[in-house]
Amino acid sequence: MTPVTSDLVVTAAVRLDAAVPDRGGVVWGEGRAADGGRVQLVRRAADGTTHDLLPEGSNARTAVHEYGGGAWWVHGGVVFTVDWSDQRLRRVDDGVVTLLTPEPAVPRGDRYADGDVAPDGSWLVCVREHHPTAGAPATDVVNEVVRLSAVELSEPEVLVSGPDFVAAPRLSRDGRRLAWLSWDHPSMPWDDVVLTVRSLDSGEETVVAGGPGESVSEPAWHDDGSLTFISDRTGWWNLYRWTGSSVEPLVVLDAEIGEPGWQLGGSRYAVLDDGSLVFARSSDGFDVLVVRAVSGELTELDTSFSAIRSVRADGDGVVCIAGSPVAEPGVHRVSVAGAVETLRPPRDLGLDPDTISVPEPMTFPSVDGDGNARDAHALYYPPSGSVSGPPPLLVVIHGGPTGAATPVLAVGLQYWTSHGFGVVDVNYGGSTGYGRAYREQLQGAWGIVDVADCLAAARALASAGRVDPERLAIRGGSAGGFTVLASLARPDTPFAAGADHFGVADLEALARDTHKFESRYLDGLVGPYPEARDVYVARSPLTHVGEFSTPLIVLQGDEDAIVPPNQSEMIVSALRDKGVPVAYLLFAGEQHGFRAAENIKRALDAELAFYARLFGLTVDVPPVEIENL
């Protein structure tokens, strides 16, 4: 097999961020790498024709929570969207753009997201995140639900204020009631969330679900006034309905319907006009679409999809973004009978399906923070094509750390398997997709359980003879970057190389410097700060530079507000001074994750060149400068 190149990874590459049926057609968002990662909205009309909706240079992206999501929504042919440049909300109607929110006193100081429009289209509700000053400390940032005109510029009216965070404001079908989610520090949206309903006529409020130990998400109204939502009250994110007087279970499975609320506006299920439901459920890391009839009967749909999101009702079925191990995500319409119509196909990559590396679920023994035996999970991708002898292994760590490895064709991953690497994508303890108990295994144990599982995955594959134990590498971004550093800053590390993408080197600095959404996240993963300062210091990779001897490549965006560049610069400086081989690439204009095609390409090729130099591989990519080698 000809190796997948970085050019193929980025050529015509898009990120599909949501898909919404509208007036017989569908609108979806495309983050286009060739245009610096800008998100353009595309409408596919009922006749199959497509056209861009936003003016050239627009970028439908919100900075709420820094991770964004829910940057646009649609009602009756009208698109409401937030632009990255100023974070103001706009109405786009047949090409006419109308600003709906005032210019804030602080540039980009008022950020909007996750909206819903009244039935008559005259007003809307959404989340607003207010930053009173440039670079305001996390304690000064205010998150609220606001109401404003949907047709003209107006001053938003605050409907919900007080909780540290709010999300998913949703209007009942008659527009007379509002449902929303809220949570407070130090909880995250997968920890303790409250679902509240308010009568907009009387102001009477009802707490429907949630509280300590229960994560609630995705409220959705029915025509009869009942409200569906996702809750993990049984230990799994399942479906429930509030009738107005009580809550009843709709779907109870040992599988996950919900997903962690890193971004706003997610949708894992849809309410159809006849009252039936279509939802995505995850089991052993793989998604399946399921129909729940009004009678309660469940039917799994026979599609090829293994990763599914943005599930939205559309007639007798749903529109969703979905992909498989041999196809990138596309936009598809799926009927309740399982018929699939592809509306926005994935790229034609020109790859022979037989040469694509398909993930194998694996469960392997590991230990918890106290050394007790437990199982961990991963997806293993064998190298594609013929390989002489056991291949080098690349251990991949997803970000989050409350996230999950996704079994969908990712050309960036095939880049490695096509170059002769085996790749194991680890769903370490703390990952989602395996229930709340598994997700909580990382509580108080970040830097311990995740590291143990990454080491155990590599050793399990090496012991089985599937990979070369002398050529083990580890890579990860964000929280995954922290796990990379923690896995290398120890004398017993089995890894011969590592790649840190905008990872955390100093936990104490992160606790002091990060943004509001994650400013108390470490309370659960490490301990409350500053009370547990000694734990922060002990867990920080920077503290253990003396035990660090593995060559490392570090890649960082210079505008990253989530893990600031100083985190990368601290570890690079320390390794440079210690004489450890290190390479450092800083990408101008990039935030948390690389979006521009030229930067994605350079990052991949530089990392491959780094491994090739260390492992004696022959590759056709530009070299990278490695200090101290």
Side-chain angles (χ1 to χ4, degrees):
M1 175 185 177
T2 302
V4 172
T5 66
S6 58
D7 283 319
L8 181 62
V9 173
V10 300
T11 300
V14 298
R15 298 184 184 188
L16 298 172
D17 73 341
V20 180
D22 179 60
R23 293 196 309 181
V26 179
V27 178
W28 61 78
E30 295 186 356
R32 297 171 178 172
D35 194 20
R38 284 194 180 95
V39 179
Q40 174 62 266
L41 303 185
V42 179
R43 183 186 294 278
R44 183 186 192 273
D47 62 5
T49 59
T50 62
H51 66 278
D52 291 352
L53 292 177
L54 304 182
E56 186 176 351
S58 298
N59 189 1
R61 185 176 164 209
T62 178
V64 172
H65 294 177
E66 299 298 339
Y67 289 98
W72 59 274
W73 51 96
V74 184
H75 180 86
V78 177
V79 173
F80 300 88
T81 181
V82 176
D83 194 85
W84 179 253
S85 63
D86 59 10
Q87 293 297 294
R88 295 173 71 186
L89 183 62
R90 293 153 168 79
R91 171 191 175 99
V92 183
D93 187 0
D94 198 22
V96 178
V97 179
T98 305
L99 280 165
L100 297 180
T101 56
E103 183 175 357
V106 175
R108 303 178 84 244
D110 286 336
R111 307 170 179 184
Y112 298 87
D114 204 9
D116 196 16
V117 184
D120 66 2
S122 65
W123 55 280
L124 60 85
V125 293
C126 64
V127 172
R128 180 179 68 183
E129 184 176 275
H130 175 65
H131 295 246
T133 60
T139 51
D140 292 348
V141 176
V142 178
N143 294 69
E144 301 168 315
V145 175
V146 297
R147 173 167 52 189
L148 60 149
S149 171
V151 296
E152 62 186 2
L153 185 70
S154 66
E155 185 66 38
E157 171 195 0
V158 176
L159 295 181
V160 180
S161 188
D164 288 323
F165 299 97
V166 291
R170 298 293 181 259
L171 294 166
S172 60
R173 301 287 177 94
D174 60 7
R176 299 179 64 181
R177 289 185 291 175
L178 173 70
W180 73 90
L181 305 172
S182 62
W183 65 97
D184 292 305
H185 283 314
S187 296
M188 298 297 286
W190 44 86
D191 294 326
D192 317 299
V193 179
V194 173
L195 170 59
T196 305
V197 169
R198 177 191 297 170
S199 166
L200 295 178
D201 295 329
S202 67
E204 180 182 358
E205 292 185 359
T206 302
V207 173
V208 172
E214 182 179 4
S215 171
V216 183
S217 62
E218 295 189 35
W221 292 95
H222 293 244
D223 283 336
D224 64 2
S226 61
L227 183 71
T228 304
F229 60 92
I230 294 173
S231 166
D232 69 350
R233 58 181 58 186
T234 64
W236 298 87
W237 273 317
N238 283 179
L239 276 168
Y240 297 84
R241 179 168 56 206
W242 177 66
T243 64
S245 59
S246 62
V247 171
E248 59 186 25
L250 294 178
V251 178
V252 179
L253 301 169
D254 286 350
E256 300 278 44
I257 299 172
E259 58 187 358
W262 281 106
Q263 292 189 308
L264 297 169
S267 180
R268 289 275 289 178
Y269 75 96
V271 180
L272 304 190
D273 290 341
D274 65 357
S276 60
L277 302 171
V278 179
F279 61 90
R281 68 112 179 98
S282 176
S283 182
D284 295 325
F286 286 72
D287 281 344
V288 173
L289 271 178
V290 183
V291 178
R292 182 197 184 275
V294 176
S295 66
E297 180 183 3
L298 301 181
T299 304
E300 290 190 3
L301 300 184
D302 184 15
T303 71
S304 63
F305 303 137
S306 56
I308 303 163
R309 55 191 173 85
S310 192
V311 181
R312 316 272 180 172
D314 187 34
D316 68 344
V318 295
V319 166
C320 63
I321 295 174
S324 75
V326 296
E328 290 183 312
V331 179
H332 308 277
R333 180 181 285 121
V334 184
S335 75
V336 291
V340 177
E341 177 188 6
T342 298
L343 308 178
R344 200 284 183 195
R347 289 182 293 170
D348 181 3
L349 297 167
L351 298 177
D352 181 344
D354 292 336
T355 65
I356 294 173
S357 181
V358 175
E360 307 168 9
M362 60 179 284
T363 298
F364 52 92
S366 188
V367 293
D368 64 16
D370 297 321
N372 300 311
R374 46 175 282 279
D375 285 338
H377 307 283
L379 301 174
Y380 177 65
Y381 295 78
S384 51
S386 60
V387 178
S388 177
L393 174 70
L394 193 56
V395 175
V396 175
I397 311 157
H398 62 72
T402 309
T406 305
V408 67
L409 176 63
V411 188
L413 190 149
Q414 300 294 321
Y415 175 87
W416 299 107
T417 58
S418 76
H419 280 93
F421 285 79
V423 175
V424 62
D425 207 348
V426 184
N427 275 322
Y428 52 82
S431 301
T432 52
Y434 302 90
R436 185 173 183 119
Y438 192 78
R439 193 166 75 239
E440 292 184 337
Q441 288 182 2
L442 208 60
Q443 290 295 297
W446 192 31
I448 298 175
V449 166
D450 49 325
V451 170
D453 290 356
C454 290
L455 271 60
R459 287 168 174 155
L461 289 164
S463 297
R466 302 196 69 178
V467 300
D468 183 350
E470 301 301 318
R471 295 188 295 172
L472 306 178
I474 184 170
R475 77 189 300 257
S478 189
F482 165 77
T483 303
V484 167
L485 298 177
S487 297
L488 299 181
R490 49 190 296 148
D492 64 343
T493 185
F495 298 110
D500 163 27
H501 295 240
F502 39 89
V504 178
D506 184 341
L507 289 174
E508 189 176 12
L510 182 68
R512 292 193 305 259
D513 298 343
T514 197
H515 58 116
K516 180 184 178 183
F517 181 64
E518 292 185 276
S519 62
R520 299 288 302 279
Y521 187 22
L522 300 189
D523 282 31
L525 297 176
V526 182
Y529 185 84
E531 294 86 345
R533 181 178 180 273
D534 58 334
V535 181
Y536 281 72
V537 173
R539 296 266 185 91
S540 293
L542 200 61
T543 302
H544 302 282
V545 168
E547 300 172 355
F548 206 122
S549 60
T550 303
L552 180 73
I553 183 170
V554 179
L555 306 105
Q556 174 74 47
D558 71 349
E559 296 181 4
D560 194 336
I562 296 172
V563 179
N566 69 316
Q567 289 279 344
S568 290
E569 289 157 4
M570 284 188 289
I571 194 69
V572 169
S573 177
L575 296 181
R576 183 182 288 138
D577 292 345
K578 188 174 185 288
V580 176
V582 63
Y584 181 43
L585 283 76
L586 183 67
F587 294 94
E590 291 286 9
Q591 295 94 43
H592 198 62
F594 306 148
R595 294 172 178 267
E598 64 272 17
N599 294 335
I600 297 170
K601 175 179 165 61
R602 176 57 180 151
L604 276 171
D605 287 344
E607 189 176 341
L608 177 58
F610 180 78
Y611 298 140
R613 180 87 179 274
L614 297 170
F615 292 165
L617 307 175
T618 300
V619 295
D620 184 20
V621 296
V624 64
E625 180 185 358
I626 307 175
E627 302 178 54
N628 297 329
L629 186 63

